[in-house]
């Protein structure tokens, strides 16, 4: 038994019982119905902004041109305008492909030893397939749920709902996104269990959101297809929740409160966990920087102002002592008559002023990139 | 978080966060902080008369009416059986138009109100018609 997923599973089970039993009493309903969702939403929004601002406060690195494609250079060298974009438009396309289709995960490879000791790299597409199915299904499910929060319901939700249920199987009509979500999250879980290397690096914090989302999908499917909750009552309640007119819905069972509690936990947990990749993907420096380092000069933004002590100032400070011990100086002390000590050295001696530090930082970059 | 540090790409980050804030609070301002009252299906005409009973109890009908209609359709079309016998032994003709709509005369009031409110879009009316509705 793997202790990481046992802990997560037990945690989700405890949360389930807590919500299910709590929903049996009125005080529990008030907590599960208003107070916890409200606090969770606040935690989610504030925490999300806090994390993003925190990230924005770390310096942005120099652009990273060596990812996946040839950088734009000489006109006769074919460049990759999307994989290694030198324009803002290219960056937008690259970010779009990354956020919407997980382009970089698509390139996922797997290492393997073949015929004894031959190292080989294979294209491994299944994580990408699972991730894409999971995220899109989850997005569709969340989007569909807007019908509980908006009145009148916008037409676009109706279109998505119709597409989602186009198979017209069973009653109430089977919505594909729910099934795909549960299947994909199960696949992503099994992947962590059955692939030894992935199991080895999986932590409780990897399993917990998976179990939680499984719980959310499972309770949702149970309510829709099996226990048949009072959907009008729930919409009335949900509308009250988002417009601050709270009231307890009548005749809604414990399962609904479990569903709501799981979602609240997910929202509250979100900013403090790996789920923050929702915000983080927009800030990935390998994806969102224009790789125009050959065209545009980049100045290291965190160079601090260097205190320069020029030779002139140095001589001003120590002139008397220098003259005293017989060191050559550029300027003689004014009141004294000029000495004939060292006229030839004068011109050769003074070192040039130190260059501003920005220029120094650039030098290695320029020499490296001439390939 | 070290508070003395500045934000990099502040304009873009703040713009992104504002978009996030607007999207996440969408239901709040879409509804203008008001709750539209939840619809109650109205019983008019024959169904509103005292002593008139539906084929099954209200709680059952509320949760399972779609399954009843689905089973009716299959039974009529595939087995050509048109009589439904309920728990108390009462017989009904399996027909949406002749049985259901006979009592629940106002489709807009009885069906559509809740179905539109909860965005549940059945395909009953792809084939069936409400005899009152003008074609």
């Amino acid at each position: 038994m793997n202790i990481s997923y046992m802990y997560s599973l037990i945690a989700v089970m405890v949360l389930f019982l807590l919500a299910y039993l709590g929903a049996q009493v009125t005080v529990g309903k008030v907590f599960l119905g208003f107070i916890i969702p409200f606090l969770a939403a606040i935690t989610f929004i504030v925490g999300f902004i806090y994390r993003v601002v925190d990230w924005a406060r770390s310096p942005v690195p120099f652009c990273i041109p060596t990812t996946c494609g040839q950088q734009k250079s000489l006109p006769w060298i074919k460049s990759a305008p999307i994989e290694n974009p030198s324009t803002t438009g290219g960056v937008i396309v690259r970010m779009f492909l990354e956020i919407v289709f997980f382009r970089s995960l698509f390139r996922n490879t797997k290492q393997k030893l073949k015929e004894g000791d031959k190292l080989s790299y294979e294209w491994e597409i299944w994580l990408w397939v699972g991730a894409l199915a999971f995220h899109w299904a989850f997005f569709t499910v969340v989007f569909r749920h807007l019908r509980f929060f908006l009145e009148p319901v916008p037409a676009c939700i109706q279109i998505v709902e119709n597409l989602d249920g186009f198979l017209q199987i069973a009653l109430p009509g089977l919505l594909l996104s729910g099934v795909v979500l549960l299947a994909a999250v199960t696949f992503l879980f099994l992947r962590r269990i059955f692939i030894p290397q992935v199991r080895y690096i999986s932590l409780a914090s990897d399993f917990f959101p998976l179990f939680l989302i499984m719980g959310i999908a499972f309770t949702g499917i149970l309510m829709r297809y099996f226990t048949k909750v009072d959907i009008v009552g729930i919409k009335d309640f949900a509308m009250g929740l988002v417009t601050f007119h709270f009231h307890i819905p009548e005749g809604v069972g414990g399962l609904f409160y479990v569903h709501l509690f799981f979602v609240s936990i997910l929202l509250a947990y979100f900013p403090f966990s790996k789920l923050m990749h929702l915000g983080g993907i927009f800030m990935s420096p390998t994806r969102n920087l224009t790789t125009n380092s050959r065209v545009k000069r980049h100045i290291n933004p965190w160079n601090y102002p260097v205190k320069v002590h020029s030779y002139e100032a140095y001589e001003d400070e120590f002139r008397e002592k220098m003259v005293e011990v017989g060191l050559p100086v550029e300027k003689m002390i004014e009141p004294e008559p000029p000495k004939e000590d060292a006229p030839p050295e004068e011109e050769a001696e003074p070192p040039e002023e130190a260059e501003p530090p920005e220029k120094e930082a650039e030098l290695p970059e320029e020499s490296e990139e001439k390939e | 978080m070290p508070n003395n540090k500045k934000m990099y790409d502040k304009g873009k980050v703040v713009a992104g966060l504002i978009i996030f804030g607007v999207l996440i609070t969408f239901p709040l301002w879409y509804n203008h902080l008001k709750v539209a009252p939840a619809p109650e299906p109205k019983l008019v005409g024959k169904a509103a008369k005292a002593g008139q009973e539906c084929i099954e109890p209200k709680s059952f009908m509320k949760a399972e009416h779609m399954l009843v209609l689905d089973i009716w359709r299959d039974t009529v079309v595939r087995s050509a059986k048109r009589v439904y016998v309920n728990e108390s032994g009462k017989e009904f003709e399996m027909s949406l138009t002749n049985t259901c709509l006979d009592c629940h005369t106002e489709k807009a009031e009885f069906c559509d109100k809740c179905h539109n409110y909860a965005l549940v879009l059945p395909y009953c009316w792809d084939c069936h018609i409400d005899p009152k509705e003008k074609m």
Side-chain angles (χ1 to χ4, degrees):
Chain A
M1 275 286 153
N2 184 317
I3 210 154
S4 297
Y5 76 74
M6 281 313 291
Y7 277 154
S8 305
L9 187 61
I10 289 167
V12 173
M13 282 172 166
V14 168
L15 291 174
F16 181 94
L17 287 175
L18 214 63
Y20 196 82
L21 298 176
Q24 308 303 322
V25 287
T26 315
V27 188
K29 280 183 183 175
V30 172
F31 261 90
L32 294 165
F34 320 128
I35 299 173
I36 292 172
F38 189 68
L39 290 178
I42 298 276
T43 313
F44 174 68
I45 295 170
V46 173
F48 193 98
I49 293 172
Y50 177 93
R51 287 294 301 270
V52 169
V53 169
D54 188 23
W55 282 328
R57 280 182 170 153
S58 0
V60 177
F62 192 67
C63 70
I64 303 157
T66 53
T67 50
C68 322
Q70 171 65 46
Q71 188 185 10
K72 188 173 188 284
S73 57
L74 297 164
W76 43 269
I77 295 175
K78 201 180 168 192
S79 67
I82 288 166
E83 305 297 355
N84 205 337
S86 61
T87 58
T88 311
V91 171
I92 289 168
V93 174
R94 178 163 77 169
M95 286 298 285
F96 178 83
L97 289 176
E98 182 64 23
I99 291 163
V100 176
F101 301 114
F102 316 158
R103 184 91 175 89
S104 63
L105 190 60
F106 185 67
R107 280 186 279 259
N108 185 31
T109 52
K110 175 171 79 174
Q111 295 175 18
K112 228 183 186 178
L113 283 180
K114 271 191 175 173
E115 300 166 23
D117 58 350
K118 276 186 192 164
L119 182 62
S120 74
Y121 294 87
E122 280 174 17
W123 186 34
E124 210 280 301
I125 197 178
W126 294 107
L127 177 60
W128 177 78
V129 170
L132 204 67
F134 168 74
H135 283 84
W136 272 102
F138 206 171
F139 175 75
T140 312
V141 168
V142 170
F143 188 77
R144 275 201 289 101
H145 273 70
L146 282 176
R147 75 185 167 124
F148 294 118
F149 299 102
L150 308 174
E151 178 60 33
V153 184
C156 54
I157 298 175
Q158 190 176 325
I159 293 167
V160 169
E161 181 105 10
N162 280 336
L163 282 175
D164 205 356
F166 85 106
L167 285 181
Q168 300 192 336
I169 303 174
L171 276 168
L174 183 78
L175 297 172
L176 283 176
S177 55
V179 179
V180 173
L181 174 63
L182 199 56
V185 82
T186 307
F187 165 75
L188 293 175
F189 166 67
L190 293 177
R191 183 185 149 266
R192 287 195 180 275
I193 295 296
F194 285 115
I195 303 175
Q197 295 93 327
V198 184
R199 185 171 60 218
Y200 183 73
I201 59 165
S202 294
L203 305 171
S205 62
D206 294 313
F207 289 112
F208 180 68
L210 286 176
F211 284 129
L212 203 57
I213 291 164
M214 260 184 228
I216 291 169
F218 188 64
T219 49
I221 286 170
L222 272 185
M223 278 193 289
R224 181 180 167 86
Y225 302 101
F226 301 102
T227 67
K228 311 256 171 71
V229 285
D230 173 14
I231 197 169
V232 172
I234 281 177
K235 173 152 182 180
D236 197 30
F237 165 76
M239 291 280 293
L241 198 60
V242 293
T243 52
F244 310 115
H245 298 88
F246 302 134
H247 67 94
I248 298 175
E250 278 171 35
V252 172
L255 216 49
F256 170 71
Y257 286 98
V258 172
H259 190 68
L260 186 63
F261 185 58
F262 275 175
V263 174
S264 304
I265 295 288
L266 188 73
L267 282 179
Y269 176 71
F270 201 99
F272 311 103
S273 63
K274 64 177 207 163
L275 302 175
M276 260 314 284
H277 67 266
L278 170 63
I281 192 163
F282 291 94
M283 309 182 98
S284 21
T286 59
R287 308 278 95 198
N288 69 5
L289 291 174
T290 321
T291 52
N292 55 359
S293 55
R294 294 180 206 239
V295 185
K296 205 179 150 220
R297 185 171 169 203
H298 293 254
I299 289 166
N300 190 352
W302 60 94
N303 275 341
Y304 51 89
V306 177
K307 205 180 167 190
V308 181
H309 195 207
S310 67
Y311 178 74
E312 238 177 343
Y314 170 85
E315 203 185 275
D316 285 347
E317 199 178 339
F318 297 108
R319 185 168 292 114
E320 283 178 16
K321 285 176 179 127
M322 288 170 79
V323 173
E324 216 168 85
V325 297
L327 284 172
V329 286
E330 280 189 343
K331 264 201 233 159
M332 265 307 160
I333 303 164
E334 291 286 330
E336 286 177 35
K339 288 175 187 174
E340 291 157 31
D341 269 314
E345 283 99 326
E346 270 182 11
E347 282 165 24
E349 192 63 25
E352 284 184 7
E353 278 191 17
E355 278 195 358
E358 290 89 353
K359 283 182 188 171
E360 274 175 28
E362 280 306 293
L363 282 176
E365 298 290 343
E366 281 173 23
S367 55
E368 259 176 36
E369 281 168 34
K370 279 170 193 160
E371 285 161 11
Chain B
M1 180 178 1
N3 282 317
N4 53 350
K5 277 203 214 160
K6 69 155 187 164
M7 268 170 75
Y8 293 84
D9 288 328
K10 197 172 182 177
K12 285 176 199 163
V13 172
V14 170
L17 285 175
I18 288 173
I19 292 170
F20 166 75
V22 168
L23 286 181
I24 208 82
T25 55
F26 179 71
L28 209 115
W29 49 265
Y30 182 88
N31 297 317
H32 309 292
L33 283 175
K34 273 182 240 152
V35 193
E40 274 285 318
K42 258 190 203 161
L43 293 174
V44 284
K46 211 172 167 185
K49 277 184 202 160
Q52 194 75 25
E53 273 185 5
C54 200
I55 55 162
E56 297 285 348
K58 187 183 167 189
S59 59
F60 176 85
M61 290 310 290
K62 196 174 179 182
E64 308 288 351
H65 62 277
M66 60 302 228
L67 274 181
V68 170
L69 288 171
D70 193 44
I71 292 166
W72 279 17
R73 180 192 61 185
D74 289 355
T75 321
V76 169
V77 173
R78 294 178 193 168
S79 324
K81 286 178 187 162
R82 289 186 170 270
V83 180
Y84 176 76
V85 184
N86 74 0
E87 287 284 310
S88 53
K90 214 175 166 190
E91 288 186 2
F92 294 93
E93 190 198 354
M94 291 187 186
S95 166
L96 175 65
T97 317
N98 295 336
T99 305
C100 301
L101 291 180
D102 188 40
C103 291
H104 303 287
T105 43
E106 300 291 328
K107 171 178 163 271
E109 287 293 323
F110 187 75
C111 307
D112 297 349
K113 246 185 172 179
C114 293
H115 273 264
N116 290 343
Y117 180 72
L119 194 79
V120 178
L121 309 158
Y123 44 85
C124 310
W125 314 105
D126 289 4
C127 307
H128 293 269
I129 56 154
D130 173 11
K132 283 190 142 191
E133 233 167 51
K134 280 174 188 165
M135 291 297 283

